[in-house]
Amino acid sequence: MAVQKNKISMKNISKTFTTRTGDVSVLKDVSINVFENEFLVILGPGQCGKTVLMNILAGLEQPTGGEVVFADGTPKMGDLGIVFQKYYIYPWKNVMQNVELSQEVKGVDKKTRRESAQKYIDLVGLSGFEKSIPRELSGGMKQRVGIARAYATESDIMIMDEPFGALDAQTRYQMQEEILKIWEKKKRTVIFVTSNLEEAIYLGDRIILLGGSPTSVKAEYIPDMPRPRNYTSKEFLDLRNEIADNTDLAL
Ligand SMILES: Nc1ncnc2c1ncn2[C@@H]1O[C@H](COP(=O)(O)OP(=O)(O)OP(=O)(O)O)[C@@H](O)[C@H]1O
Ligand SMILES: [Mg+2]
């Protein structure tokens, strides 16, 4: 394998919340390296601290211990492409306005940001829906808006926190294929969070398995299978069993 350039290092990240009922330690010594242009999957059970970790990575929350180091320097607020777990799109803005927002907040002029937004609307397959507002769109389409907006930041780092969690199974499979196609067309460093084991194996160049209480890194897996991967192939099922055996919580 070619030498991989390190893009992000999460070093011994710990997070403890102080609540009315006492301290809650959510993350402990989480260390993860992310390589340039890889599709990294972070797999962990519900409530284990995945979103907290992504918020720390994105600079939206401070760790109690440890640090995040970006090889190209710490990005400024709004510089990272983030797809949130909940559809984080403005209901009163149409598709075009939602996507161009990434650049609008940076003061990019209207013509430039429209052109850029159009490029990503086309990329995620929403051409023709530019003027639609979110309530006129299906769940899958709303999530595409979120993906297009994250891409439109032009960040080379994309954080996707369970982007397909709210979708029905059929749409979810379709979106998994789509997101790989988009990534292959436009390589970026992707950190994709999921609690779905099959989704992790279908997508990941590498899978980091989280577990324990407080949560830390349990294991790393490299699915050695060409894409598109087949959910029912022997290699797929073998890896599924191997990971399932290593986790005590239902995934
Ligand atoms: N601000 C906060 N104060 C106290 N506890 C918090 C806070 N934010 C998160 N937590 C706790 O941290 C834990 C992890 O939350 P988090 O949302 O990161 O889990 P998750 O792995 O993303 O779950 P899910 O799979 O449901 O998205 C939860 O127990 C949650 O209650
Ligand atoms: Mg979460």
Side-chain angles (χ1 to χ4, degrees), residues 17-202:
F17 290 105
T18 305
T19 69
R20 273 172 292 130
T21 48
D23 283 359
V24 184
S25 182
V26 177
L27 302 171
K28 189 168 168 39
D29 274 335
V30 176
S31 294
I32 300 172
N33 284 326
V34 187
F35 302 119
E36 184 165 54
N37 290 344
E38 76 167 327
F39 200 114
L40 178 72
V41 171
I42 296 183
L43 172 67
Q47 296 295 295
C48 80
K50 302 181 297 297
T51 295
V52 170
L53 184 63
M54 288 309 105
N55 286 343
I56 291 171
L57 177 60
L60 302 170
E61 199 153 4
Q62 287 305 307
T64 321
E67 59 175 343
V68 181
V69 179
F70 289 83
D72 304 320
T74 306
K76 290 193 292 296
M77 200 55 97
D79 271 357
L80 291 170
I82 309 176
V83 184
F84 294 93
Q85 193 165 0
K86 302 243 164 60
Y87 310 128
Y88 196 62
I89 56 180
Y90 293 95
W92 64 89
K93 288 184 189 280
N94 68 29
V95 168
M96 172 58 79
Q97 291 163 336
N98 264 292
V99 175
E100 69 178 348
L101 200 64
S102 304
Q103 299 203 327
E104 192 177 348
V105 294
K106 291 185 194 164
V108 174
D109 70 87
K110 191 159 183 168
K111 184 167 177 289
T112 311
R113 66 180 198 243
R114 282 264 143 122
E115 274 170 18
S116 167
Q118 189 65 55
K119 186 171 72 181
Y120 294 109
I121 288 170
D122 296 344
L123 188 72
V124 300
L126 282 178
S127 319
F129 292 94
E130 292 81 358
K131 295 213 163 70
S132 303
I133 54 170
R135 73 176 156 79
E136 298 165 342
L137 306 174
S138 70
M141 290 163 93
K142 278 187 240 183
Q143 207 46 290
R144 285 168 199 261
V145 176
I147 292 164
R149 192 182 49 197
Y151 265 86
T153 57
E154 298 290 358
S155 171
D156 53 0
I157 297 171
M158 301 283 289
I159 298 172
M160 301 192 190
D161 186 3
E162 295 201 62
F164 308 146
L167 304 178
D168 62 85
Q170 202 53 45
T171 313
R172 188 170 189 150
Y173 291 138
Q174 203 192 338
M175 288 301 294
Q176 289 168 1
E177 264 177 56
E178 290 285 326
I179 201 75
L180 285 179
K181 276 194 209 143
I182 293 170
W183 175 70
E184 269 152 18
K185 267 193 236 163
K186 215 157 175 53
K187 279 276 160 80
R188 304 259 171 107
T189 304
V190 175
I191 300 123
F192 186 103
V193 169
T194 185
S195 57
N196 183 293
L197 180 44
E198 281 82 14
E199 180 165 87
I201 300 174
Y202 187 77

